[in-house]
Amino acid sequence: MNEQEKKKLNERLAALDTRERHKLYKRASLLRKARASMTKTRNRAVDEEDEPTRLRIRRGENLDDWVLKILDQEEPTREVEGAEKKSGVVVWIGKKSCRVRIPGAEILCDVSGEIQREQQTLLAVGDEVVVHLGEANVVRQVLPRRTRLSRPDPQNPNIERVVVANVDVVVITVSVKTPPLHPRLIDRYLVAIQRGGATPVICVNKLDLLDDPEERRAELSKLEPYAATGVEITTCSTVSHEGMLKLRQAVEGKTCAFVGHSGVGKSSILNAIKPDLNLETKGVSEGYGRGTHTTTASSLYHIEGGTRLIDTPGIRSFGLWKMSAQELCWYFPEFEAYKDGCKFGNCTHTHEPVCGVKQAVGDGLLSRHRYETYGRLLGA
Ligand code: GDP
Ligand code: ZN
């Protein structure tokens, strides 16, 4: 901290009473601790599709630096005379800036310091924000979220990373054959989506690759356990266009995010719904696997009729927070019908000797795969 900063800090502290000062230092200490633990884990190998953490702590920063940072952050913004405020929706986020759709235009905005440091926590695509227009447009406020799809930071599970905000529907996109249908990611998404208040829809793409009716039936039967949970399932192909009408109807007038592995056809589906989006898709040869991926950040597209579509980067693994058995059971509604057979009211359906849910799994009435996922998530 240089002399000038020291002077500034002392002036600002002088205006506070002892209790306020104490509180401020405590906050600074917590912030510093959180940042330090992130920095420590920052260099660990990360799944290449997971976003790197963008926080940095400079060497030699002491608690006073952090206190000054907080004070700076909270300094009432000196508004440019006549500065206009507009509310809008975040459609894209870069490192230090974001694009916001305001009535009649889309503008590039700077993001205030604190929001920048807490990227993907305080600000996500889909967020409603207040922008102060001026020489530089600045995002000053993020409005409360109606819904969110979030997950723990892969490197620091204490930090929430919001993938998208204020979505009505999240379409869990999977494909058949390339890549093959793996229901495991579906389970995790279903929990996270419903926990965040949005409605899940499962969309199975590339149906054109299954022209043999028997093969199609066998492949789609993997989704029967999900139909039993009441989730809407749509099937489609961006090549033959079968099922596209139904998918269009499912997203109409809503804000919908498409999530799922890289290569399942999310960008292709968005193009099929709205051809002039012209999103880049992968060449067939690098259709799936660990090759280059086209979508590296989420983007929100406005479509006529109030529909908003969000393309998200492929996320290979989607972490979840640890939950109690009681909460987790909310997301496995198909267990409900068999709970009468449990001896204990607070049965976790794991180690208890008399358990209606375990019995139903044994009798083939409940999906073993779903039950195993439940157990894994409980122990997660
Ligand atoms: P994303 O990573 O999920 O956005 O996937 P892309 O939209 O980039 O598509 C990945 C690959 O799958 C590309 O080669 C597409 O041409 C191909 N693809 C997309 N939809 C279909 C489909 O319905 N059928 C077939 N056969 N291929 C598709
Ligand atoms: Zn039980």
Side-chain angles (χ1 to χ4, degrees):
M1 181 175 279
N2 61 33
E3 282 308 311
Q4 203 186 352
E5 285 170 331
K6 239 181 240 166
K7 188 162 164 262
K8 189 169 153 197
L9 176 68
N10 287 334
E11 276 171 16
R12 306 282 296 276
L13 288 175
L16 304 174
D17 67 27
T18 323
R19 229 181 98 232
E20 285 171 324
R21 258 185 252 171
H22 182 73
K23 260 180 105 184
L24 187 64
Y25 271 87
K26 197 157 178 200
R27 277 177 64 196
S29 157
L30 287 172
L31 208 60
R32 182 171 68 171
K33 229 193 238 143
R35 221 52 104 239
S37 76
M38 289 186 74
T39 316
K40 239 185 269 162
T41 47
R42 214 160 52 90
N43 295 331
R44 267 196 221 145
V46 215
D47 185 335
E48 66 175 31
E49 292 185 18
D50 282 324
E51 314 89 311
T53 309
R54 300 199 180 96
L55 297 174
R56 243 149 253 222
I57 181 171
R58 270 182 270 129
R59 241 173 241 287
E61 271 186 329
N62 64 27
L63 207 51
D64 283 344
D65 290 293
W66 286 97
V67 169
L68 191 58
K69 254 185 215 172
I70 294 178
L71 286 170
D72 271 346
Q73 201 55 53
E74 289 177 358
E75 186 178 21
T77 29
R78 275 182 288 278
E79 291 183 21
V80 185
E81 210 170 316
E84 211 185 332
K85 290 179 200 167
K86 283 254 183 259
S87 35
V89 176
V90 175
V91 300
W92 174 88
I93 302 180
K95 266 194 183 137
K96 290 185 177 172
S97 59
C98 67
R99 297 192 74 83
V100 175
R101 165 95 169 211
I102 57 171
E106 200 179 288
I107 53 172
L108 190 66
C109 301
D110 291 342
V111 186
S112 76
E114 180 68 6
I115 294 178
Q116 224 177 78
R117 279 194 289 280
E118 298 292 345
Q119 266 220 27
Q120 299 166 16
T121 300
L122 294 184
L123 193 68
V125 165
D127 262 325
E128 283 160 17
V129 293
V130 177
V131 179
H132 289 200
L133 304 180
E135 225 168 271
N137 307 312
V138 183
V139 171
R140 288 288 181 211
Q141 197 190 351
V142 182
L143 302 181
R145 293 170 175 140
R146 288 188 305 278
T147 68
R148 67 182 64 197
L149 173 63
S150 64
R151 59 176 181 151
D153 185 292
Q155 300 164 73
N156 184 343
N158 297 320
I159 297 169
E160 178 186 23
R161 295 295 176 204
V162 181
V163 180
V164 282
N166 299 323
V167 286
D168 304 305
V169 171
V170 179
V171 183
I172 306 169
T173 316
V174 292
S175 63
V176 292
K177 292 216 164 163
T178 58
L181 189 56
H182 286 308
R184 194 195 282 205
L185 194 69
I186 299 180
D187 292 323
R188 289 176 166 268
Y189 271 124
L190 280 178
V191 174
I193 293 164
Q194 293 177 90
R195 203 164 189 242
T199 304
V201 167
I202 298 173
C203 173
V204 188
N205 187 32
K206 309 200 186 183
L207 219 56
D208 57 288
L209 299 178
L210 295 174
D211 17 288
D212 174 38
E214 191 46 43
E215 195 189 3
R216 185 179 282 203
R217 202 199 52 74
E219 191 68 3
L220 296 182
S221 72
K222 289 184 190 165
L223 295 169
E224 274 164 16
Y226 302 99
T229 70
V231 180
E232 181 180 346
I233 301 174
T234 62
T235 51
C236 71
S237 161
T238 67
V239 172
S240 69
H241 292 279
E242 95 181 89
M244 287 311 305
L245 192 63
K246 198 170 159 227
L247 184 59
R248 236 178 246 129
Q249 284 164 351
V251 302
E252 201 158 14
K254 299 179 186 140
T255 302
C256 302
F258 285 76
V259 298
H261 280 230
S262 166
V264 294
K266 297 180 291 297
S267 307
S268 307
I269 290 174
L270 262 65
N271 282 337
I273 294 175
K274 172 95 178 140
D276 57 9
L277 283 181
N278 253 325
L279 303 183
E280 206 181 320
T281 60
K282 272 174 226 66
V284 181
S285 59
E286 42 176 356
Y288 74 100
R290 296 180 73 96
T292 50
H293 27 89
T294 38
T295 315
T296 52
S298 300
S299 298
L300 184 151
Y301 305 97
H302 283 77
I303 313 279
E304 52 282 337
T307 308
R308 295 163 173 173
L309 302 179
I310 304 175
D311 199 9
T312 69
I315 295 174
R316 194 169 300 120
S317 56
F318 197 92
L320 289 174
W321 280 274
K322 201 165 161 48
M323 270 172 265
S324 68
Q326 206 181 8
E327 189 187 350
L328 197 54
C329 275
W330 268 106
Y331 309 113
F332 290 79
E334 70 269 37
F335 291 3
E336 197 56 44
Y338 302 98
K339 284 182 186 166
D340 283 349
C342 300
K343 183 169 174 194
F344 304 107
N346 60 353
C347 187
T348 65
H349 323 302
T350 51
H351 59 277
E352 294 83 352
V354 182
C355 169
V357 171
K358 271 202 289 189
Q359 182 69 43
V361 174
D363 294 346
L365 298 168
L366 281 174
S367 152
R368 181 166 297 277
H369 161 86
R370 289 270 295 164
Y371 176 72
E372 283 170 1
T373 303
Y374 165 84
R376 259 198 306 274
L377 293 181
L378 199 58

